[in-house]
């Protein structure tokens, strides 16, 4: 890994969508909006606010349109919504969303379990969404899940990750996020996969999405930074998981990521104190302690004021 780190990194907060979708108890629209307001105040430029999937599939996010109406566009903030198909795209556009994400995986078994399609079928379903995004001037992001391991198939060949990412870039994705859905990756794998991707695509168009199931998420962030990646997904408090990924832990906690970036001198524009405020609010709403280590520790050291 290169010892030279980038001067800046971008943190994409996915807690309001990826973090909440796995919660059994439905969070009220008002609490979701308050959570988003606290995150916006912390300085994020990118917030994944909700998903326009079928309300039957994910009841937690059935209020997507209401959330978007109560949390409108504002300067310097990109509201991202996940859309599964043309119908979801239509709903997102009607709600005023100007940035959307589509979701597939690098393993067939997970794709079938998660969205009931093969990888090829999922990509075919996304093409009309991507075409509409181009016509409407909507920013498009792609997710490649299970990029380092699948709960059903085990190891995933890195070449398959590159192949799926290539399809997403080809259809017009501005950015592709590479996900360690079940939290099995170690730094050497991250270096390998990013290296292969960087041979074909600008590394500045890649993001990494780590889960901390086995405690390697921050080590993987270091490997990705060393390989030139400057965009990372995370969820305030470390909430998240996936109902179709047995054993998967939560997302990398945003405050843990921001604490690391601050300590490394990598500017991200996000206030640690603001993230902690949002996480404490969410912990109160959910009625339990959250997995974040920095949150559990009470923030930064007393000798190091919160930014």
């Amino acid at each position: 890994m290169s010892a030279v780190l980038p001067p800046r990194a971008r943190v994409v907060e996915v807690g309001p969508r990826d973090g909440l979708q796995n919660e059994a108890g439905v969070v009220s629209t008002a609490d979701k909006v308050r959570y988003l307001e606290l995150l916006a105040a912390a300085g994020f430029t990118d917030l994944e606010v909700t998903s326009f999937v079928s309300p039957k599939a994910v009841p937690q996010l059935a209020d997507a349109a209401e959330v978007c109406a109560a949390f409108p566009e504002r300067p310097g903030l990109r509201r991202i919504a996940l859309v599964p198909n043309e119908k979801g795209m239509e709903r997102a556009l009607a709600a005023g969303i100007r940035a959307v994400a589509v979701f597939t995986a690098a393993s067939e078994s997970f794709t079938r379990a998660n969205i009931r399609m093969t990888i090829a079928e999922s990509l075919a379903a996304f093409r009309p969404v991507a075409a509409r995004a181009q016509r409407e001037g909507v920013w498009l992001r792609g997710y490649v899940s299970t990029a380092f391991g699948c709960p059903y198939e085990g190891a995933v060949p890195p070449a398959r990750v590159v192949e799926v990412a290539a399809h997403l870039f080809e259809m017009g994705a501005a950015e592709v996020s590479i996900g360690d859905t079940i939290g099995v990756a170690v730094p050497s794998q991250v270096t390998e996969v990013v290296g292969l991707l960087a041979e074909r695509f600008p590394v500045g168009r890649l993001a990494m999405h780590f889960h901390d199931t086995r405690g390697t998420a921050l080590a993987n962030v270091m490997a990705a930074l060393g390989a030139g990646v400057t965009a990372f997904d995370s969820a305030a408090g470390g909430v998240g998981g996936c109902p179709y990924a047995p054993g998967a832990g939560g997302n990398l906690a945003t405050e843990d990521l921001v604490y690391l970036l601050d300590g490394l001198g990598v500017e991200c524009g996000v206030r640690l104190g603001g993230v902690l405020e949002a996480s404490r609010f969410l912990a109160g709403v959910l009625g339990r302690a959250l997995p974040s280590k920095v949150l559990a520790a009470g923030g930064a050291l007393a000798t190091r004021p919160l930014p």
Side-chain angles (χ1 to χ4, degrees):
M1 184 180 76
S2 170
V4 178
L5 300 177
R8 288 190 59 84
R10 186 170 126 259
V11 178
V12 180
E13 173 59 52
V14 301
R17 194 279 301 177
D18 192 19
L20 293 184
Q21 70 175 7
N22 205 41
E23 291 294 324
V26 175
V27 177
S28 73
T29 301
D31 283 340
K32 289 174 185 172
V33 173
R34 178 58 180 158
Y35 180 39
L36 284 163
E37 293 285 359
L38 289 169
L39 290 168
F44 289 97
T45 58
D46 296 81
L47 288 178
E48 192 176 53
V49 296
T50 190
S51 173
F52 287 89
V53 297
S54 166
K56 292 181 180 179
V58 187
Q60 180 70 261
L61 303 178
D63 59 352
E66 291 80 4
V67 168
C68 291
F71 184 74
E73 290 281 349
R74 59 200 66 196
L77 177 65
R78 178 188 284 140
R79 298 182 308 162
I80 306 168
L82 188 74
V83 297
N85 48 36
E86 289 182 272
K87 183 176 180 180
M89 180 64 161
E90 192 66 43
R91 290 174 58 208
L93 291 173
I97 289 293
R98 305 299 300 166
V100 298
V102 293
F103 181 98
T104 188
S107 63
E108 292 287 0
S109 299
F110 181 80
T111 309
R112 288 192 180 96
N114 192 28
I115 56 177
R116 299 178 183 177
M117 297 180 185
T118 65
I119 295 172
E121 288 169 345
S122 71
L123 292 168
F126 299 153
R127 290 192 181 280
V129 173
R132 181 74 181 273
Q134 288 190 328
R135 291 197 304 271
E136 301 277 354
V138 170
W139 187 83
L140 177 67
R141 184 181 222 228
Y143 282 107
V144 181
S145 192
T146 60
F148 299 93
C150 170
Y152 309 106
E153 299 177 16
V156 174
R160 194 183 300 164
V161 180
V162 176
E163 179 185 357
V164 176
H167 284 293
L168 292 169
F169 279 126
E170 181 272 329
M171 69 176 67
E175 178 174 84
V176 172
S177 177
I178 307 300
D180 182 18
T181 308
I182 57 174
V184 294
V186 296
S188 59
Q189 291 175 289
V190 174
T191 301
E192 178 187 12
V193 169
V194 173
L196 289 173
L197 288 163
E199 289 176 3
R200 293 189 57 181
F201 319 111
V203 73
R205 294 178 64 186
L206 299 174
M208 303 304 293
H209 185 120
F210 295 121
H211 286 240
D212 204 29
T213 312
R214 292 163 179 81
T216 58
L218 287 180
N220 291 334
V221 168
M222 288 297 300
L225 283 168
V229 176
T230 58
F232 298 91
D233 300 350
S234 60
V239 292
C242 178
Y244 304 103
N251 289 285
L252 168 60
T254 303
E255 49 268 59
D256 295 358
L257 173 60
V258 172
Y259 181 86
L260 174 69
L261 294 174
D262 286 349
L264 293 172
V266 177
E267 175 61 43
C268 69
V270 177
R271 291 189 306 105
L272 179 57
V275 179
L276 288 167
E277 184 179 359
S279 293
R280 292 188 186 106
F281 171 78
L282 184 61
V285 169
L286 299 179
R288 69 169 194 274
L290 302 183
S292 164
K293 295 174 178 62
V294 172
L295 180 64
L301 290 174
T303 54
R304 184 177 171 211
L306 294 181

